[in-house]
Amino acid sequence: MSESAIFDVFVIGGGVNGTGIARDAVGRGYSVALAEMNDFAAGTSSGATKLIHGGLRYLEYYEFRLVREALMEREVLWAMAPHIIWPMRFVLPFHKGGVRPAWMIRLGLFLYDHLGGRKLLPATKTLSMKRDPAGKPLKPLFTKAFEYSDGWVDDARLVVLNARDAADRGALILNRTRVIGARRNNGLWTIEVEDRATRSRTSYQARMLINAAGPWVDSVLSNAVGRNNAHNVRMVQGSHIVIAKKFDDPRAYFFQNPDNRIIFAIPYERDFTLIGTTDQDYKGDPKDVKITGQEIDYLCRCASEYFAEPVKPEDIVWSYSAVRPLYDDGASKAQEATRDYVLKLEEKDGAPLLNVFGGKLTTYRRLGEHALEKIGEAIGVKGKPWTGESHLPGGDFPPTGYEAEVSRLKSACPFLEDRHARRLIRCYGTLTHAMLKGADSQAALGRHFGGTLYQVEVDWLVNREWARTSEDILWRRTKQGLRLSADQVRSLDAYLETAEAA
């Protein structure tokens, strides 16, 4: 079977970088196709610490360009998607004899406040932990802290909303579609893909190929493109644990460890605390990555150095792990490897290839703009940069307008519980009204699957956001997996099988 259209750009990889590049490119007038072998954000892009941040600790490694770019992006992204991105204050406890002296932390935070054109985010301040509520959950030896601003993001939703917007603008978006071959032929790429559900194969042609496969970048080069022994990526495993809510404060904690690593303890999904991340080299297949007992012990031990009440392995209600595909710069330690992204353009036989290495959630939009510069250089410029003033689907309200949107939804749908209304706006923003169109009662939401998940939302996710399995819905699109029992998950599975058959 052959597809006659010739695309300007074919993107391999449906993580944050791939979907961001596809969205930017189609918005400039390029014809775009994207293939993701699994679900969107099934790999690295849903396995991060979920922060929109400058990367305070990267200043130690003199990554000033990366930090400045990331700091500048915080408020751009917040304005672009205020439903899934919002500001968060971070408390950095300090004690004499710690890893970093006070002057170094103050200098880092001064740079953090002034490098990135901060406008809406509040500045750094010093806290007395004896008087501030942030000191309550911590050991009494922490009498002083610094408080600074960064942001939080629902990472998997960031990815799927980029994919949705790209599709709405005309891109061909294929998920669960594996690229099994990509060859240059008469100045074009011929790309063969396989639908993983039906095993049917389709061929596409494109003027340019973008390899944004994350941890699988080298695998794509070796297996699909036919490049022998490609080695550009250093895979670093990062794992996180989720426990029942450890503190009531809305602020997060930044903990420094004796090994020079840092971990965060972050309010998560109202009733939980997220603790992470680890940094260790990973040699296996990225699809098999799982948290290790050693990492669990490390996170519990590090958090327990700060919290008055220890964190124990039996406290864990969920954990997740992912591989960060860092560009292999030869750094000796995993935590020292660069977090900056590297774009490598290969022009050969009139069919250019752009390989994307590294990157962070925070800088995905800027990475996309830089990728578009490479695309313009290779196949001709179309359009101008536009994403900085755009909104992701559902994000067309002011950065500080979340509470107003919740009130508007509750006025339109007074039958919604406050918790439910707040979660829907956090997931779908202004599109919540389209999802609930015609619903005039709780019963009109359809079958209740548990938590605040109802049939009307499940149908929306299947029809609008490419969801096919309970894992797609519960752990990437909604995080309601934290609240459903095993029986409720089975009920959702059965419903999805019926919906797919229909």
Side-chain angles (χ1 to χ4, degrees):
M1 181 178 177
S2 180
E3 193 68 33
S4 59
I6 298 174
F7 291 95
D8 290 322
V9 175
F10 193 104
V11 181
I12 303 175
V16 73
N17 291 335
T19 57
I21 291 169
R23 175 180 183 254
D24 194 337
V26 74
R28 298 194 198 202
Y30 292 99
S31 57
V32 176
L34 178 146
E36 161 57 43
M37 68 176 177
N38 297 308
D39 182 31
F40 298 115
T44 304
S45 294
S46 62
T49 314
K50 310 182 192 308
L51 299 180
I52 295 296
H53 68 138
L56 181 60
R57 71 186 181 90
Y58 305 150
L59 290 172
E60 286 187 299
Y61 302 110
Y62 309 109
E63 300 250 23
F64 295 113
R65 191 213 68 78
L66 173 65
V67 174
R68 184 171 187 272
E69 182 173 87
L71 287 170
M72 292 173 71
E73 279 297 283
R74 294 177 306 175
E75 295 194 15
V76 173
L77 297 181
W78 178 20
M80 196 166 98
H83 49 333
I84 60 166
I85 295 172
W86 59 92
M88 185 174 280
R89 294 289 276 174
F90 289 77
V91 175
L92 195 167
F94 172 79
H95 68 99
K96 289 182 180 178
V99 177
R100 297 163 181 87
W103 68 263
M104 182 184 290
I105 296 171
R106 283 197 196 96
L107 175 60
L109 289 170
F110 175 83
L111 291 171
Y112 214 68
D113 272 352
H114 293 91
L115 270 178
R118 178 180 52 83
K119 294 176 182 174
L120 293 176
L121 294 171
T124 299
K125 65 180 182 178
T126 304
L127 305 177
S128 167
M129 298 298 266
K130 291 182 178 179
R131 293 194 296 270
D132 194 281
K136 188 176 179 183
L138 303 184
K139 291 179 177 177
L141 68 93
F142 300 103
T143 59
K144 179 180 179 180
F146 302 98
E147 182 183 313
Y148 69 95
S149 292
D150 262 328
W152 172 261
V153 61
D154 187 328
D155 49 7
R157 292 210 57 74
L158 177 67
V159 176
V160 80
L161 291 180
N162 272 277
R164 180 67 264 164
D165 199 49
D168 290 345
R169 294 173 185 274
L172 174 65
I173 302 294
L174 308 165
N175 79 339
R176 292 182 169 82
T177 301
R178 188 167 62 96
V179 172
I180 56 177
R183 297 290 184 269
R184 289 179 169 100
N185 184 23
N186 294 327
L188 294 172
W189 284 97
T190 298
I191 303 108
E192 188 173 11
V193 304
E194 181 180 80
D195 184 307
R196 298 189 68 183
T198 65
R199 300 298 178 192
S200 63
R201 294 187 175 186
T202 308
S203 290
Y204 298 95
Q205 286 188 305
R207 298 171 63 202
M208 184 168 184
L209 187 67
I210 312 291
N211 179 10
W216 292 273
V217 164
D218 284 341
S219 175
V220 165
L221 286 172
S222 297
N223 300 327
V225 178
R227 186 80 48 80
N228 291 329
N229 303 317
H231 179 73
N232 303 276
V233 172
R234 179 175 187 167
M235 294 194 288
V236 174
Q237 179 173 349
S239 297
H240 299 76
I241 58 175
V242 176
I243 62 175
K245 187 161 69 172
K246 192 73 173 172
F247 49 89
D248 292 321
D249 202 286
R251 292 169 290 183
Y253 291 96
F254 177 119
F255 293 153
Q256 304 176 83
N257 304 321
D259 62 359
N260 252 16
R261 287 279 305 124
I262 59 100
I263 63 168
F264 295 96
I266 304 170
Y268 187 62
E269 294 294 315
R270 291 181 62 130
D271 301 317
F272 303 92
T273 298
L274 172 67
I275 298 173
T277 181
T278 58
D279 257 331
Q280 61 181 32
D281 284 309
Y282 183 79
K283 300 296 184 186
D285 189 321
K287 72 178 175 57
D288 299 324
V289 66
K290 290 179 181 173
I291 192 169
T292 65
Q294 180 183 7
E295 288 177 303
I296 289 172
D297 290 344
Y298 176 82
L299 291 174
C300 290
R301 185 174 70 253
C302 292
S304 298
E305 288 292 319
Y306 284 83
F307 286 121
E309 182 183 312
V311 176
K312 303 172 185 175
E314 52 265 34
D315 298 334
I316 299 171
V317 297
W318 183 50
S319 65
Y320 64 89
S321 192
V323 172
R324 291 187 287 275
L326 308 181
Y327 184 69
D328 193 353
D329 63 354
S332 58
K333 295 181 181 177
Q335 65 262 33
E336 294 174 3
T338 182
R339 264 55 177 177
D340 209 346
Y341 52 84
V342 176
L343 306 178
K344 289 200 168 184
L345 177 63
E346 298 179 11
E347 297 191 79
K348 181 181 176 184
D349 299 330
L353 165 66
L354 181 65
N355 294 303
V356 179
F357 304 106
K360 290 156 37 74
L361 288 168
T362 311
T363 53
Y364 93 92
R365 191 195 68 82
R366 290 289 289 136
L367 182 152
E369 289 188 332
H370 287 132
L372 264 294
E373 291 173 7
K374 300 284 189 184
I375 291 170
E377 177 185 330
I379 62 172
V381 174
K382 289 189 179 183
K384 296 179 179 178
W386 63 278
T387 57
E389 302 294 327
S390 70
H391 295 287
L392 285 175
D396 50 337
F397 61 93
T400 55
Y402 169 73
E403 291 295 340
E405 285 303 312
V406 172
S407 297
R408 193 162 77 91
L409 177 61
K410 288 167 73 173
S411 293
C413 302
F415 54 87
L416 289 177
E417 295 178 352
D418 180 72
R419 173 184 286 248
H420 192 186
R422 288 181 173 278
R423 185 183 72 77
L424 289 178
I425 294 296
R426 274 288 177 234
C427 283
Y428 310 101
T430 57
L431 288 179
T432 307
H433 299 272
M435 179 196 297
L436 302 182
K437 188 176 181 181
D440 56 2
S441 67
Q442 195 86 2
L445 302 179
R447 188 166 161 185
H448 182 217
F449 292 102
T452 54
L453 185 66
Y454 287 81
Q455 182 179 338
V456 66
E457 183 177 1
V458 171
D459 291 346
W460 175 274
L461 293 171
V462 169
N463 295 326
R464 289 278 302 165
E465 295 193 6
W466 298 277
R468 292 191 197 175
T469 71
S470 58
E471 183 180 349
D472 299 346
I473 290 170
L474 297 178
W475 295 110
R476 283 185 284 277
R477 307 297 191 281
T478 72
K479 307 300 186 290
Q480 287 292 289
L482 288 163
R483 306 185 187 281
L484 269 64
S485 68
D487 284 343
Q488 288 171 323
V489 174
R490 282 191 286 271
S491 174
L492 176 59
D493 282 329
Y495 177 78
L496 291 170
E497 285 177 17
T498 304
E500 189 173 353

